[in-house]
Amino acid sequence: QVQVVESGGGLVQAGGSLRLSCTASGLSFDAYAMAWFRQAPGKEREGISRISWNHGRTNYADSVKGRFTISRDDAKNTLYLQMNTLKPEDTGLYYCAAAKVPGRDGQWPLSEKDFTFGGQGTQVTVSS
């Protein structure tokens, strides 16, 4: 069973930065594409970034492109999301997720049906 622990969220002023981490267990981490999703208050969860299982190919939603950077350390089973120039609209609960099928990145834009969520998320609040 895939389990993840997200951390690094917090309260930050607009224009600030945060680095989220996600440590995964219960899977051969380096064989799986990983992704970050977020859920803003009153809105549905949306996929914002993905990193492929090999070669580190990355994708970003337009809302975060140029400000967020996804990366992974397979030796540590850890996924990261560096978030810069944060905006109040970035406020939400951030989740990491593992692709359901090893060796497959899934579709883009991201679909929740392609990923497994195993954690509680980490809250990011950006004040104006």
Side-chain angles (χ1 to χ4, degrees):
Q1 182 178 358
V2 175
Q3 292 185 318
V4 301
V5 178
E6 301 99 339
S7 62
L11 174 63
V12 64
Q13 288 188 332
S17 299
L18 285 173
R19 188 194 195 202
L20 306 185
S21 299
C22 164
T23 301
S25 60
L27 77 170
S28 296
F29 186 78
D30 59 0
Y32 289 81
M34 298 294 295
W36 287 98
F37 290 74
R38 71 182 179 189
Q39 187 166 21
K43 295 187 178 180
E44 293 187 352
R45 189 159 54 186
E46 63 170 338
I48 57 172
S49 186
R50 178 188 64 197
I51 187 165
S52 65
W53 65 278
N54 67 341
H55 305 302
R57 292 184 301 271
T58 58
N59 298 89
Y60 299 93
D62 288 344
S63 58
V64 305
K65 194 175 296 181
R67 300 186 298 120
F68 291 11
T69 302
I70 190 172
S71 61
R72 62 190 297 160
D73 185 338
D74 290 344
K76 296 182 178 179
N77 281 21
T78 301
L79 177 73
Y80 302 99
L81 186 68
Q82 177 66 43
M83 306 187 296
N84 298 328
T85 319
L86 283 160
K87 304 176 181 179
E89 52 263 44
D90 294 318
T91 293
L93 194 57
Y94 283 68
Y95 300 89
C96 78
K100 287 185 178 178
V101 180
R104 300 283 292 274
D105 289 344
Q107 67 185 57
W108 183 265
L110 291 171
S111 173
E112 288 194 25
K113 68 177 179 61
D114 294 331
F115 287 84
T116 297
F117 296 81
Q120 299 299 313
T122 185
Q123 177 68 37
V124 172
T125 303
V126 184
S127 63
S128 58

mmCIF file of all heavy atoms in Angstrom, residues 43-79:
data_model
loop_
_atom_site.group_PDB
_atom_site.id
_atom_site.type_symbol
_atom_site.label_atom_id
_atom_site.label_comp_id
_atom_site.label_asym_id
_atom_site.label_seq_id
_atom_site.Cartn_x
_atom_site.Cartn_y
_atom_site.Cartn_z
ATOM 1 N N LYS A 43 -12.973 24.596 -3.882
ATOM 2 C CA LYS A 43 -12.724 24.184 -5.261
ATOM 3 C C LYS A 43 -12.337 22.712 -5.310
ATOM 4 O O LYS A 43 -11.975 22.102 -4.308
ATOM 5 C CB LYS A 43 -11.622 25.044 -5.878
ATOM 6 C CG LYS A 43 -11.994 26.510 -6.029
ATOM 7 C CD LYS A 43 -10.925 27.268 -6.801
ATOM 8 C CE LYS A 43 -11.318 28.724 -7.005
ATOM 9 N NZ LYS A 43 -10.277 29.467 -7.770
ATOM 10 N N GLU A 44 -12.397 22.159 -6.507
ATOM 11 C CA GLU A 44 -11.995 20.780 -6.695
ATOM 12 C C GLU A 44 -10.470 20.681 -6.714
ATOM 13 O O GLU A 44 -9.765 21.643 -7.015
ATOM 14 C CB GLU A 44 -12.562 20.240 -8.005
ATOM 15 C CG GLU A 44 -14.071 20.116 -8.014
ATOM 16 C CD GLU A 44 -14.588 19.421 -9.264
ATOM 17 O OE1 GLU A 44 -13.786 19.170 -10.173
ATOM 18 O OE2 GLU A 44 -15.784 19.128 -9.321
ATOM 19 N N ARG A 45 -9.988 19.493 -6.400
ATOM 20 C CA ARG A 45 -8.555 19.269 -6.443
ATOM 21 C C ARG A 45 -8.063 19.315 -7.890
ATOM 22 O O ARG A 45 -8.729 18.788 -8.790
ATOM 23 C CB ARG A 45 -8.236 17.918 -5.795
ATOM 24 C CG ARG A 45 -6.769 17.652 -5.575
ATOM 25 C CD ARG A 45 -6.520 16.588 -4.520
ATOM 26 N NE ARG A 45 -7.205 15.343 -4.769
ATOM 27 C CZ ARG A 45 -7.226 14.314 -3.910
ATOM 28 N NH1 ARG A 45 -6.589 14.422 -2.755
ATOM 29 N NH2 ARG A 45 -7.875 13.220 -4.218
ATOM 30 N N GLU A 46 -6.921 19.959 -8.095
ATOM 31 C CA GLU A 46 -6.365 20.096 -9.428
ATOM 32 C C GLU A 46 -4.908 19.632 -9.443
ATOM 33 O O GLU A 46 -4.172 19.807 -8.467
ATOM 34 C CB GLU A 46 -6.430 21.563 -9.896
ATOM 35 C CG GLU A 46 -5.611 22.521 -9.055
ATOM 36 C CD GLU A 46 -5.471 23.906 -9.649
ATOM 37 O OE1 GLU A 46 -5.638 24.069 -10.871
ATOM 38 O OE2 GLU A 46 -5.148 24.841 -8.873
ATOM 39 N N GLY A 47 -4.511 19.050 -10.565
ATOM 40 C CA GLY A 47 -3.117 18.662 -10.736
ATOM 41 C C GLY A 47 -2.303 19.839 -11.195
ATOM 42 O O GLY A 47 -2.709 20.567 -12.099
ATOM 43 N N ILE A 48 -1.130 20.056 -10.567
ATOM 44 C CA ILE A 48 -0.341 21.219 -10.920
ATOM 45 C C ILE A 48 1.037 20.874 -11.479
ATOM 46 O O ILE A 48 1.626 21.691 -12.196
ATOM 47 C CB ILE A 48 -0.181 22.192 -9.727
ATOM 48 C CG1 ILE A 48 0.449 21.479 -8.524
ATOM 49 C CG2 ILE A 48 -1.526 22.799 -9.358
ATOM 50 C CD1 ILE A 48 0.815 22.443 -7.392
ATOM 51 N N SER A 49 1.560 19.700 -11.194
ATOM 52 C CA SER A 49 2.880 19.373 -11.719
ATOM 53 C C SER A 49 3.110 17.868 -11.663
ATOM 54 O O SER A 49 2.592 17.193 -10.782
ATOM 55 C CB SER A 49 3.976 20.094 -10.919
ATOM 56 O OG SER A 49 5.249 19.884 -11.502
ATOM 57 N N ARG A 50 3.911 17.395 -12.596
ATOM 58 C CA ARG A 50 4.257 15.978 -12.653
ATOM 59 C C ARG A 50 5.717 15.849 -13.060
ATOM 60 O O ARG A 50 6.231 16.642 -13.853
ATOM 61 C CB ARG A 50 3.392 15.249 -13.679
ATOM 62 C CG ARG A 50 3.738 13.770 -13.822
ATOM 63 C CD ARG A 50 2.983 13.141 -14.974
ATOM 64 N NE ARG A 50 3.368 13.715 -16.261
ATOM 65 C CZ ARG A 50 2.627 13.575 -17.357
ATOM 66 N NH1 ARG A 50 1.488 12.917 -17.325
ATOM 67 N NH2 ARG A 50 3.032 14.111 -18.486
ATOM 68 N N ILE A 51 6.381 14.818 -12.531
ATOM 69 C CA ILE A 51 7.726 14.465 -12.956
ATOM 70 C C ILE A 51 7.719 12.999 -13.366
ATOM 71 O O ILE A 51 7.147 12.161 -12.666
ATOM 72 C CB ILE A 51 8.776 14.756 -11.862
ATOM 73 C CG1 ILE A 51 10.193 14.528 -12.392
ATOM 74 C CG2 ILE A 51 8.509 13.962 -10.598
ATOM 75 C CD1 ILE A 51 11.277 15.137 -11.504
ATOM 76 N N SER A 52 8.301 12.702 -14.490
ATOM 77 C CA SER A 52 8.249 11.352 -15.019
ATOM 78 C C SER A 52 9.088 10.400 -14.180
ATOM 79 O O SER A 52 9.899 10.808 -13.358
ATOM 80 C CB SER A 52 8.749 11.334 -16.467
ATOM 81 O OG SER A 52 10.120 11.676 -16.521
ATOM 82 N N TRP A 53 8.859 9.107 -14.407
ATOM 83 C CA TRP A 53 9.576 8.098 -13.640
ATOM 84 C C TRP A 53 11.014 7.952 -14.116
ATOM 85 O O TRP A 53 11.866 7.470 -13.374
ATOM 86 C CB TRP A 53 8.844 6.758 -13.758
ATOM 87 C CG TRP A 53 8.833 6.197 -15.157
ATOM 88 C CD1 TRP A 53 7.998 6.532 -16.160
ATOM 89 C CD2 TRP A 53 9.727 5.215 -15.683
ATOM 90 N NE1 TRP A 53 8.304 5.817 -17.302
ATOM 91 C CE2 TRP A 53 9.350 5.002 -17.026
ATOM 92 C CE3 TRP A 53 10.788 4.492 -15.151
ATOM 93 C CZ2 TRP A 53 10.014 4.093 -17.849
ATOM 94 C CZ3 TRP A 53 11.452 3.582 -15.968
ATOM 95 C CH2 TRP A 53 11.064 3.405 -17.305
ATOM 96 N N ASN A 54 11.299 8.386 -15.338
ATOM 97 C CA ASN A 54 12.669 8.324 -15.826
ATOM 98 C C ASN A 54 12.995 9.588 -16.594
ATOM 99 O O ASN A 54 12.109 10.276 -17.090
ATOM 100 C CB ASN A 54 12.875 7.093 -16.696
ATOM 101 C CG ASN A 54 12.094 7.159 -17.999
ATOM 102 O OD1 ASN A 54 11.155 7.924 -18.128
ATOM 103 N ND2 ASN A 54 12.468 6.343 -18.962
ATOM 104 N N HIS A 55 14.218 9.957 -16.639
ATOM 105 C CA HIS A 55 14.713 11.128 -17.358
ATOM 106 C C HIS A 55 14.216 12.448 -16.786
ATOM 107 O O HIS A 55 14.544 13.507 -17.296
ATOM 108 C CB HIS A 55 14.375 11.074 -18.852
ATOM 109 C CG HIS A 55 14.847 9.830 -19.531
ATOM 110 N ND1 HIS A 55 16.176 9.463 -19.547
ATOM 111 C CD2 HIS A 55 14.176 8.855 -20.166
ATOM 112 C CE1 HIS A 55 16.292 8.313 -20.195
ATOM 113 N NE2 HIS A 55 15.109 7.913 -20.579
ATOM 114 N N GLY A 56 13.399 12.396 -15.759
ATOM 115 C CA GLY A 56 13.004 13.617 -15.079
ATOM 116 C C GLY A 56 12.210 14.602 -15.894
ATOM 117 O O GLY A 56 12.251 15.807 -15.623
ATOM 118 N N ARG A 57 11.459 14.128 -16.869
ATOM 119 C CA ARG A 57 10.613 15.064 -17.633
ATOM 120 C C ARG A 57 9.567 15.669 -16.701
ATOM 121 O O ARG A 57 8.996 14.980 -15.855
ATOM 122 C CB ARG A 57 9.924 14.334 -18.781
ATOM 123 C CG ARG A 57 10.866 13.867 -19.879
ATOM 124 C CD ARG A 57 10.068 13.246 -21.020
ATOM 125 N NE ARG A 57 9.280 12.126 -20.581
ATOM 126 C CZ ARG A 57 9.712 10.864 -20.551
ATOM 127 N NH1 ARG A 57 10.952 10.593 -20.925
ATOM 128 N NH2 ARG A 57 8.918 9.890 -20.149
ATOM 129 N N THR A 58 9.322 16.962 -16.875
ATOM 130 C CA THR A 58 8.399 17.662 -15.993
ATOM 131 C C THR A 58 7.295 18.374 -16.779
ATOM 132 O O THR A 58 7.488 18.762 -17.933
ATOM 133 C CB THR A 58 9.139 18.701 -15.141
ATOM 134 O OG1 THR A 58 9.811 19.627 -15.999
ATOM 135 C CG2 THR A 58 10.156 18.040 -14.226
ATOM 136 N N ASN A 59 6.165 18.509 -16.121
ATOM 137 C CA ASN A 59 5.034 19.255 -16.675
ATOM 138 C C ASN A 59 4.463 20.144 -15.585
ATOM 139 O O ASN A 59 4.473 19.766 -14.398
ATOM 140 C CB ASN A 59 3.933 18.310 -17.165
ATOM 141 C CG ASN A 59 4.382 17.398 -18.296
ATOM 142 O OD1 ASN A 59 4.886 16.307 -18.039
ATOM 143 N ND2 ASN A 59 4.241 17.846 -19.515
ATOM 144 N N TYR A 60 3.933 21.296 -15.995
ATOM 145 C CA TYR A 60 3.367 22.247 -15.049
ATOM 146 C C TYR A 60 2.063 22.806 -15.591
ATOM 147 O O TYR A 60 1.933 23.089 -16.786
ATOM 148 C CB TYR A 60 4.333 23.413 -14.805
ATOM 149 C CG TYR A 60 5.659 22.996 -14.214
ATOM 150 C CD1 TYR A 60 6.754 22.728 -15.023
ATOM 151 C CD2 TYR A 60 5.810 22.860 -12.833
ATOM 152 C CE1 TYR A 60 7.962 22.336 -14.479
ATOM 153 C CE2 TYR A 60 7.027 22.468 -12.280
ATOM 154 C CZ TYR A 60 8.098 22.207 -13.120
ATOM 155 O OH TYR A 60 9.292 21.823 -12.583
ATOM 156 N N ALA A 61 1.132 23.022 -14.676
ATOM 157 C CA ALA A 61 -0.071 23.758 -15.043
ATOM 158 C C ALA A 61 0.306 25.205 -15.327
ATOM 159 O O ALA A 61 1.268 25.738 -14.759
ATOM 160 C CB ALA A 61 -1.092 23.677 -13.907
ATOM 161 N N ASP A 62 -0.463 25.842 -16.185
ATOM 162 C CA ASP A 62 -0.167 27.232 -16.544
ATOM 163 C C ASP A 62 -0.151 28.140 -15.319
ATOM 164 O O ASP A 62 0.608 29.111 -15.273
ATOM 165 C CB ASP A 62 -1.202 27.746 -17.548
ATOM 166 C CG ASP A 62 -1.030 27.136 -18.930
ATOM 167 O OD1 ASP A 62 0.055 26.554 -19.198
ATOM 168 O OD2 ASP A 62 -1.967 27.229 -19.733
ATOM 169 N N SER A 63 -0.959 27.821 -14.328
ATOM 170 C CA SER A 63 -1.085 28.674 -13.142
ATOM 171 C C SER A 63 0.194 28.708 -12.305
ATOM 172 O O SER A 63 0.390 29.635 -11.512
ATOM 173 C CB SER A 63 -2.251 28.213 -12.277
ATOM 174 O OG SER A 63 -2.079 26.862 -11.891
ATOM 175 N N VAL A 64 1.074 27.719 -12.469
ATOM 176 C CA VAL A 64 2.294 27.675 -11.648
ATOM 177 C C VAL A 64 3.561 27.681 -12.485
ATOM 178 O O VAL A 64 4.668 27.773 -11.934
ATOM 179 C CB VAL A 64 2.304 26.441 -10.727
ATOM 180 C CG1 VAL A 64 1.034 26.399 -9.884
ATOM 181 C CG2 VAL A 64 2.467 25.151 -11.516
ATOM 182 N N LYS A 65 3.432 27.598 -13.787
ATOM 183 C CA LYS A 65 4.599 27.517 -14.664
ATOM 184 C C LYS A 65 5.484 28.746 -14.490
ATOM 185 O O LYS A 65 5.000 29.876 -14.433
ATOM 186 C CB LYS A 65 4.133 27.395 -16.108
ATOM 187 C CG LYS A 65 5.208 26.975 -17.104
ATOM 188 C CD LYS A 65 4.624 26.766 -18.489
ATOM 189 C CE LYS A 65 3.624 25.633 -18.514
ATOM 190 N NZ LYS A 65 3.070 25.398 -19.865
ATOM 191 N N GLY A 66 6.777 28.515 -14.364
ATOM 192 C CA GLY A 66 7.725 29.602 -14.180
ATOM 193 C C GLY A 66 7.940 30.000 -12.737
ATOM 194 O O GLY A 66 8.879 30.744 -12.425
ATOM 195 N N ARG A 67 7.079 29.515 -11.836
ATOM 196 C CA ARG A 67 7.211 29.846 -10.409
ATOM 197 C C ARG A 67 7.516 28.615 -9.561
ATOM 198 O O ARG A 67 8.185 28.713 -8.546
ATOM 199 C CB ARG A 67 5.926 30.501 -9.902
ATOM 200 C CG ARG A 67 5.570 31.786 -10.609
ATOM 201 C CD ARG A 67 4.358 32.464 -9.955
ATOM 202 N NE ARG A 67 3.153 31.654 -10.020
ATOM 203 C CZ ARG A 67 2.483 31.231 -8.940
ATOM 204 N NH1 ARG A 67 2.900 31.555 -7.729
ATOM 205 N NH2 ARG A 67 1.384 30.502 -9.087
ATOM 206 N N PHE A 68 6.987 27.467 -9.957
ATOM 207 C CA PHE A 68 7.163 26.229 -9.203
ATOM 208 C C PHE A 68 8.117 25.301 -9.951
ATOM 209 O O PHE A 68 8.132 25.272 -11.180
ATOM 210 C CB PHE A 68 5.829 25.510 -9.024
ATOM 211 C CG PHE A 68 4.844 26.182 -8.109
ATOM 212 C CD1 PHE A 68 5.029 27.464 -7.645
ATOM 213 C CD2 PHE A 68 3.697 25.493 -7.707
ATOM 214 C CE1 PHE A 68 4.121 28.078 -6.807
ATOM 215 C CE2 PHE A 68 2.772 26.081 -6.865
ATOM 216 C CZ PHE A 68 2.983 27.388 -6.429
ATOM 217 N N THR A 69 8.888 24.517 -9.171
ATOM 218 C CA THR A 69 9.788 23.529 -9.750
ATOM 219 C C THR A 69 9.621 22.208 -9.018
ATOM 220 O O THR A 69 9.771 22.152 -7.799
ATOM 221 C CB THR A 69 11.249 23.982 -9.655
ATOM 222 O OG1 THR A 69 11.412 25.242 -10.315
ATOM 223 C CG2 THR A 69 12.172 22.954 -10.311
ATOM 224 N N ILE A 70 9.306 21.170 -9.767
ATOM 225 C CA ILE A 70 9.177 19.828 -9.194
ATOM 226 C C ILE A 70 10.491 19.081 -9.403
ATOM 227 O O ILE A 70 11.170 19.243 -10.427
ATOM 228 C CB ILE A 70 8.002 19.067 -9.858
ATOM 229 C CG1 ILE A 70 7.699 17.772 -9.104
ATOM 230 C CG2 ILE A 70 8.266 18.801 -11.329
ATOM 231 C CD1 ILE A 70 6.418 17.069 -9.579
ATOM 232 N N SER A 71 10.856 18.283 -8.407
ATOM 233 C CA SER A 71 12.069 17.483 -8.526
ATOM 234 C C SER A 71 11.920 16.239 -7.665
ATOM 235 O O SER A 71 10.984 16.148 -6.850
ATOM 236 C CB SER A 71 13.315 18.276 -8.112
ATOM 237 O OG SER A 71 13.232 18.685 -6.765
ATOM 238 N N ARG A 72 12.834 15.301 -7.830
ATOM 239 C CA ARG A 72 12.763 14.070 -7.052
ATOM 240 C C ARG A 72 14.160 13.578 -6.725
ATOM 241 O O ARG A 72 15.092 13.810 -7.478
ATOM 242 C CB ARG A 72 11.991 13.005 -7.831
ATOM 243 C CG ARG A 72 12.625 12.602 -9.158
ATOM 244 C CD ARG A 72 11.679 11.709 -9.991
ATOM 245 N NE ARG A 72 11.386 10.457 -9.309
ATOM 246 C CZ ARG A 72 10.338 9.695 -9.601
ATOM 247 N NH1 ARG A 72 9.478 10.060 -10.531
ATOM 248 N NH2 ARG A 72 10.160 8.563 -8.947
ATOM 249 N N ASP A 73 14.260 12.900 -5.597
ATOM 250 C CA ASP A 73 15.495 12.241 -5.190
ATOM 251 C C ASP A 73 15.146 10.778 -4.971
ATOM 252 O O ASP A 73 14.605 10.416 -3.919
ATOM 253 C CB ASP A 73 16.053 12.890 -3.923
ATOM 254 C CG ASP A 73 17.409 12.328 -3.521
ATOM 255 O OD1 ASP A 73 17.734 11.190 -3.934
ATOM 256 O OD2 ASP A 73 18.139 13.007 -2.789
ATOM 257 N N ASP A 74 15.438 9.965 -5.967
ATOM 258 C CA ASP A 74 15.037 8.566 -5.890
ATOM 259 C C ASP A 74 15.767 7.810 -4.788
ATOM 260 O O ASP A 74 15.243 6.838 -4.241
ATOM 261 C CB ASP A 74 15.263 7.884 -7.244
ATOM 262 C CG ASP A 74 14.292 8.372 -8.317
ATOM 263 O OD1 ASP A 74 13.270 8.990 -7.952
ATOM 264 O OD2 ASP A 74 14.565 8.147 -9.515
ATOM 265 N N ALA A 75 16.969 8.253 -4.458
ATOM 266 C CA ALA A 75 17.719 7.584 -3.386
ATOM 267 C C ALA A 75 17.055 7.779 -2.032
ATOM 268 O O ALA A 75 17.231 6.965 -1.120
ATOM 269 C CB ALA A 75 19.146 8.103 -3.348
ATOM 270 N N LYS A 76 16.282 8.863 -1.912
ATOM 271 C CA LYS A 76 15.609 9.171 -0.647
ATOM 272 C C LYS A 76 14.106 8.927 -0.719
ATOM 273 O O LYS A 76 13.385 9.246 0.238
ATOM 274 C CB LYS A 76 15.868 10.629 -0.267
ATOM 275 C CG LYS A 76 17.324 10.947 0.018
ATOM 276 C CD LYS A 76 17.485 12.405 0.424
ATOM 277 C CE LYS A 76 18.943 12.719 0.754
ATOM 278 N NZ LYS A 76 19.129 14.150 1.144
ATOM 279 N N ASN A 77 13.626 8.393 -1.848
ATOM 280 C CA ASN A 77 12.169 8.193 -2.023
ATOM 281 C C ASN A 77 11.402 9.482 -1.746
ATOM 282 O O ASN A 77 10.325 9.457 -1.131
ATOM 283 C CB ASN A 77 11.662 7.079 -1.098
ATOM 284 C CG ASN A 77 11.964 5.698 -1.637
ATOM 285 O OD1 ASN A 77 12.848 5.524 -2.471
ATOM 286 N ND2 ASN A 77 11.264 4.699 -1.146
ATOM 287 N N THR A 78 11.913 10.591 -2.210
ATOM 288 C CA THR A 78 11.333 11.880 -1.863
ATOM 289 C C THR A 78 11.079 12.736 -3.097
ATOM 290 O O THR A 78 11.902 12.803 -4.009
ATOM 291 C CB THR A 78 12.244 12.631 -0.883
ATOM 292 O OG1 THR A 78 12.409 11.834 0.296
ATOM 293 C CG2 THR A 78 11.632 13.963 -0.478
ATOM 294 N N LEU A 79 9.932 13.365 -3.078
ATOM 295 C CA LEU A 79 9.501 14.300 -4.107
ATOM 296 C C LEU A 79 9.496 15.694 -3.506
ATOM 297 O O LEU A 79 9.171 15.857 -2.321
ATOM 298 C CB LEU A 79 8.089 13.926 -4.579
ATOM 299 C CG LEU A 79 7.415 14.813 -5.608
ATOM 300 C CD1 LEU A 79 8.062 14.619 -6.972
ATOM 301 C CD2 LEU A 79 5.924 14.510 -5.670
#
